[in-house]
Amino acid sequence: MTDEGSNDDVELEVRLAEQDEFEPPESFVEQANVTDAGIYEEFEENWPDCWEGAADLLSWDEDYETVLDDSNPPFYEWFTGGKLNASYNCIDRHLPERADEAALEWVGEPVEEDNRTITYEELHREVNEAAAVLRDLGVGEDDIVTLYMPMIPQLPIVMLACARIGAPHSVVFAGFSAEALATRMNAADSEYLVTCDGYYRRGDPLDHLEKTNTGLADVEHGVDTVVVDRLGSNGDDFGHDLADDQHDYDDLLADHEGATVEPVERDAEDMLFLMYTSGTTGQPKGVKHTTAGYLAWTAWTSQSVLDIKPEDTYFCAADIGWITGHSYIVYGPLALGTTSMMYEGTPDYPTRERLWEIIEAYEADQLYTAPTAIRSFMKWGEEYPERHDLSSLRLLGTVGEPINPRAWKWYYTHIGNEEAPIVDTWWQTETGGHMVTTLPGVNDMKPGSAGPALPGLDVQIVDTSGEAVEQGRAGYLTVQKPWPGMLRTLYNNDERFIEEYWAEYSDTDSDDPEDWVYFPEDGAKVDEDGYITVLGRVDDVINVSGHRLGTMEIESAIVGVEGVAEAAVVGGEHDLKGEAVYAYVILEEGYEGDDEMRAAIVEGVEDAIGPIARPEAVVFTPELPKTRSGKIMRRLLEDIANDEELGDTSTLQNPEIVEDIRGKSDD
Ligand code: ATP
Ligand code: MG
């Protein structure tokens, strides 16, 4: 890097450090799907009928009679009386206009020749054939089909095939353990499984069928299994023989070449899918989503928040095994008839330029990813994106955890070139789609703050008694009115549904919807403009000498220290204070984890929050234990801080790091 270059960088840093509000770029606003700020008032006045516009984005076999049936809270029903099919909405209806346009752009790993463009017409054919295969196996309407596949085209194809025949899918993230598979199949009583032989991770073939079979051994009922051949086609194979109740997907397809299957008319409230939450905070919960409300919600938010248009090439770098992939790789984008990208690999294989290469090659219009990825990019350095033309990017998005202002600004300048707005989208598996975020063509952006609640949503930050807290004070995020994309219940467990999400702030004996409040278990604060800063899970609170400190606030202070790429803090037992703050820190390349750095971190925390939050210990580590969706597994760090036996590490993407960190902590 030349001296001149680094001076520019310093100037840029200084300019950005001072700026805490950003107007949406003019060039973006000019073409945005939503630009009228009046939408907030309009939706409020017109609630709940304001959601008819979202329903209008769908094609209905039969019109709905009622927008919202709230006669039995919290079991709300949306668009009741309506009939539709999600697969028809995501495929068939686009054929007249878009048969030859790409529905999916699949980028494989590591063999370039594997890359596939799947047009809407091809998707239609493959989904029909897959639907015929499932039917032939005996899958009927409302039978739950478990899908245990990585980012290969057959995953969305079989999801849509399930939707076509009215069989809810339950996708289990491929990186999850055999045990996680068995737990979920048992809980859902799922008698059908679609899996694959294996897949590639950083160039090496992984044996997925072995893991599948280990899981199946713990399933309490009979299961018909379909095995997709991902590896064999490249000559890699683990030489498994299929059991009698296991079928080769290609063999089954061969029997149904060219088959067509009529999309089944589903009631608006019929289950579209089941998704077990990642379980970062306890036992996984079987979140039930329905056909109309969910599809309307994901289509509407894809349009309003992600600004998706049919002619876009839209890239969400999440995994379909996570809700973000369900809502914003498959259902939302395809309902709008756009081109949705799927990337099989990781961002750093074969090089740290991989994502930027893909974006340049496909001229992607949007990039939607997680703060954890952005912080990695930042740590690797801007030279990687700088080598590529990223000017096709019109909008950037983040999801999954709070994004600290430094990472936000890095994303904004080095990826978006200050020309693409960022949507920081707060939502959950349970909410189906976006809830709190700016509308990119309407609102100013404030780094670190997700933004206002979407139009038509009543989000309030309250104290323990349910009263709204003062501006700027930390409280609990609540949603005071239902919305179409909401979960309908926890599968087979209405009681736990009420217990988990409603009991805290509702009068559970009442049948007046006004008395019911949804509680997502996140802490937040709100500013004078109604912008919400999400502080993290409410159970992620450290109690130091009676002071309740949010882990997120401390982490944000640490990440603000020059040279720090990422941080996680947890509470460890402490004789005097009750709990003390333990900090686990990843540094940017070129920085030393020495006493000076430790002192800078302690000072950063004291300045931002106060001496009470001063970390008891700062441990430097090259990585943090993370789930595949990028969530830090704090409970494992807590185990380390408290010198306890480690909990289950099987859902981690990097289980080996845990012992490594423990070793360092003992020093
Ligand atoms: P489990 O509920 O099983 O513990 P999980 O909560 O990790 O799993 P998800 O539904 O994928 O599973 O994650 C939703 C959570 O992620 C939210 O409740 C919130 O804590 C966090 N989150 C998501 N997006 C954002 C965001 N933009 N800003 C801050 N936090 C976010
Ligand atoms: Mg959760």
Side-chain angles (χ1 to χ4, degrees), residues 249-263:
Y249 184 58
D250 293 325
D251 289 349
L252 298 180
L253 277 179
D255 295 339
H256 296 280
E257 225 185 289
T260 53
V261 173
E262 274 301 297

Side-chain angles (χ1 to χ4, degrees), residues 105 107 115 312-317 341-343 347 352-369 373-374 377 384-385 387-397 410-411 414-416 420:
E105 286 285 6
V107 183
N115 291 358
D312 285 342
T313 299
Y314 156 84
F315 185 14
C316 169
M341 301 198 50
M342 268 182 84
Y343 174 45
R352 289 174 171 182
E353 280 170 67
R354 189 63 174 137
L355 278 198
W356 319 124
E357 251 166 41
I358 296 173
I359 288 167
E360 183 173 22
Y362 288 83
E363 297 180 37
D365 294 274
Q366 292 92 344
L367 173 65
Y368 192 28
T369 186
I374 297 164
F377 304 148
Y384 300 103
R387 282 180 213 143
H388 297 274
D389 178 4
L390 305 179
S391 61
S392 61
L393 289 171
R394 187 174 84 236
L395 173 132
L396 303 173
W410 189 92
Y411 196 31
H414 296 293
I415 307 305

Side-chain angles (χ1 to χ4, degrees), residues 277-282 284-285 322-323 398-403 424-430 450 520 522 534 536-537 631:
T277 62
S278 54
T280 31
T281 51
K285 300 165 280 242
W322 185 31
I323 189 71
T398 81
V399 54
E401 53 175 325
I403 179 163
D424 173 357
T425 57
W426 176 86
W427 59 293
Q428 318 174 285
T429 307
E430 295 86 342
D522 276 351
V534 179
R537 331 291 175 97
K631 297 254 156 60

Side-chain angles (χ1 to χ4, degrees), residues 47-103:
W47 195 89
D49 293 343
C50 54
W51 297 122
E52 293 197 77
D56 285 345
L57 293 173
L58 308 180
S59 301
W60 297 80
D61 299 326
E62 230 167 87
D63 281 341
Y64 55 89
E65 285 149 20
T66 318
V67 174
L68 167 64
D69 176 351
D70 58 3
S71 57
N72 181 26
F75 301 98
Y76 297 99
E77 298 191 345
W78 287 88
F79 310 121
T80 50
K83 287 188 189 297
L84 76 171
N85 182 282
S87 141
Y88 176 85
N89 270 277
C90 290
I91 311 169
D92 305 48
R93 65 168 174 155
H94 304 313
L95 291 177
E97 302 268 316
R98 303 191 52 79
D100 298 329
E101 305 293 334

Side-chain angles (χ1 to χ4, degrees), residues 426 436 459-462 469-470 472-478 519 521-526 531-538:
W426 176 86
V436 177
V459 173
Q460 285 179 34
I461 315 303
V462 302
V469 294
E470 273 171 58
R473 298 293 281 280
Y476 304 99
L477 199 161
T478 61
F519 179 45
E521 299 187 287
D522 276 351
K525 57 186 184 186
V526 60
Y531 277 51
I532 293 164
T533 297
V534 179
L535 300 170
R537 331 291 175 97
V538 290

